[in-house]
Amino acid sequence: MDDTTMRIDQSVIVITAAGTLIGKAMALHFASLGAKLALVDNDIKKLEATQDACSQFSSHINIFHLEDTQPHSIKQVFTHIQRQLGTFNVLLNTWPKCTNTPSILEPDAINEFNDVMCNSATTFF
């Protein structure tokens, strides 16, 4: 293995909407591989249930309750993640429906998705 290969068991992975079925499934998968997880959701009970399920695989499961989806709240959660865990390696955004995110089944989906991601990511850099 060369120096550019990412090792999941040495990675920090952020999973949004971790209380949803897909978020929980992703969390369980990466917990079973030994990753350090930062689980984010606005439903604290479902978030804690995902944490409990993942704890059978790892003790490196951290939860971050997102009170609302306003930009300042999101920024605050990511600031807490970075302070607590350092730089993260992977972000899995599993929110069921993000506003302004096009359906992947639409004809111009890739172009629209790129536009949305470029415009959204600009605020973080």
Side-chain angles (χ1 to χ4, degrees):
M1 192 170 4
D2 63 32
D3 291 341
T4 60
T5 304
M6 185 173 81
R7 298 226 11 211
I8 295 298
D9 62 343
Q10 296 176 359
S11 298
V12 174
I13 299 176
V14 177
I15 302 174
T16 64
T20 64
L21 290 176
I22 187 103
K24 185 175 185 178
M26 298 301 288
L28 286 166
H29 172 72
F30 285 107
S32 73
L33 297 175
K36 293 178 185 173
L37 299 181
L39 306 177
V40 180
D41 205 307
N42 57 354
D43 186 325
I44 191 68
K45 290 184 182 198
K46 290 182 179 179
L47 185 59
E48 290 171 343
T50 298
Q51 180 186 32
D52 289 343
C54 291
S55 68
Q56 67 180 317
F57 299 110
S58 174
S59 60
H60 302 290
I61 312 299
N62 301 275
I63 61 170
F64 298 88
H65 181 232
L66 182 64
E67 296 199 18
D68 57 57
T69 56
Q70 297 300 314
H72 71 277
S73 298
I74 294 169
K75 183 177 181 181
Q76 186 176 31
V77 164
F78 277 90
T79 299
H80 286 136
I81 291 169
Q82 189 168 15
R83 284 184 184 149
Q84 191 169 338
L85 302 173
T87 303
F88 58 89
N89 305 94
V90 178
L91 168 63
L92 297 170
N93 185 10
T94 64
W95 288 112
K97 177 65 176 157
C98 295
T99 57
N100 299 328
T101 303
S103 166
I104 60 170
L105 302 176
E106 295 175 11
D108 294 326
I110 292 179
N111 293 333
E112 289 179 37
F113 178 78
N114 286 337
D115 291 343
V116 167
M117 291 307 292
C118 288
N119 291 333
S120 298
T122 302
T123 60
F124 291 109
F125 298 104

